[in-house]
Amino acid sequence: MIPEECQERLKRLNQVFLEENRNLNLSALRTQELSWTGNILDALSILSTPLLSPLSAQKKILDLGTGGGFPLLPLALCVPGCTFVGLDATAKKISAVERIAHAMELRNVTLITGRSEEVARDPAHRERYDLVLSRAVAPLHTLLELTAPFAKVGGHVVLWKSVRIEKELKDSLLARAELSCQLTNPYEYVLPDNRGKRQLLIFQKRFTTQEKYPRAVGIPKKKPLM
Ligand code: SAH
């Protein structure tokens, strides 16, 4: 799963991240080992799908709710030919990710502090991304409303989820229809060290997002489409 030439820099990224994590509560995974499997390897799982590889070029990729920089940072490190944007509502987290990206000399990363419901109204970001990624941000029905407006028509939304989420999937039927997101085959993977089975839910956006989405800040969560 890890490109050979990235190994050493990924280890360094893990260290730099853990140093930031000592001062800020970015992740509950506080040891080298836990963060390596749970953050770094978990982020890289998408490199086993046809959507992204270390040789991919010129794709624009958004990580919505990047928090401490996952899946953003390991992917930006391993896929230098693509441009990555990390978005989060919490300024302190974005500052930490900026420091990490700077320390790692990741020139293909841009960071934005803001609420996705507002940023998605900006023509510079609406329907501009080939891939929209998100991990551990919201239940599926809410998350599709937050992510889909950023994807180009024909682009993909990729969500990091646990397995056995039948109810969450069922509850997302209206959101999928309203936001023209078609579920394709999920990619299931097993993390080492008994960290269990996880999956990437992959959606293709089929049509332009209706102007009314996303609704105002907080509404996608308070009144999910279902
Ligand atoms: N993706 C990271 C962080 C998950 S925590 C990881 O997997 O480790 C969820 C993050 O999403 C928080 O940092 C929170 O600030 C951000 N978030 C939640 N809703 C958001 C929204 N509507 N717009 C921007 N950021 C949001």
Side-chain angles (χ1 to χ4, degrees), residues 104-122:
M104 296 303 302
E105 298 181 42
L106 297 175
R107 296 195 183 83
N108 55 343
V109 175
T110 309
L111 293 153
I112 305 174
T113 301
R115 289 286 307 213
S116 68
E117 295 95 322
E118 289 172 340
V119 180
R121 295 270 159 213
D122 181 342

Side-chain angles (χ1 to χ4, degrees), residues 83-94:
T83 55
F84 290 81
V85 176
L87 167 66
D88 203 281
T90 307
K92 266 198 292 188
K93 293 185 183 182
I94 287 296

Side-chain angles (χ1 to χ4, degrees), residues 17 26-27 39 42 63-71 87-90 93 114-117 134-138 146 160 217-218 221:
F17 167 74
L26 300 170
S27 164
N39 287 327
D42 193 43
D63 181 15
L64 194 158
T66 192
F70 299 103
L87 167 66
D88 203 281
T90 307
K93 293 185 183 182
R115 289 286 307 213
S116 68
E117 295 95 322
S134 193
R135 185 181 87 157
V137 171
L146 299 180
W160 273 245
V217 167
K221 187 174 171 191

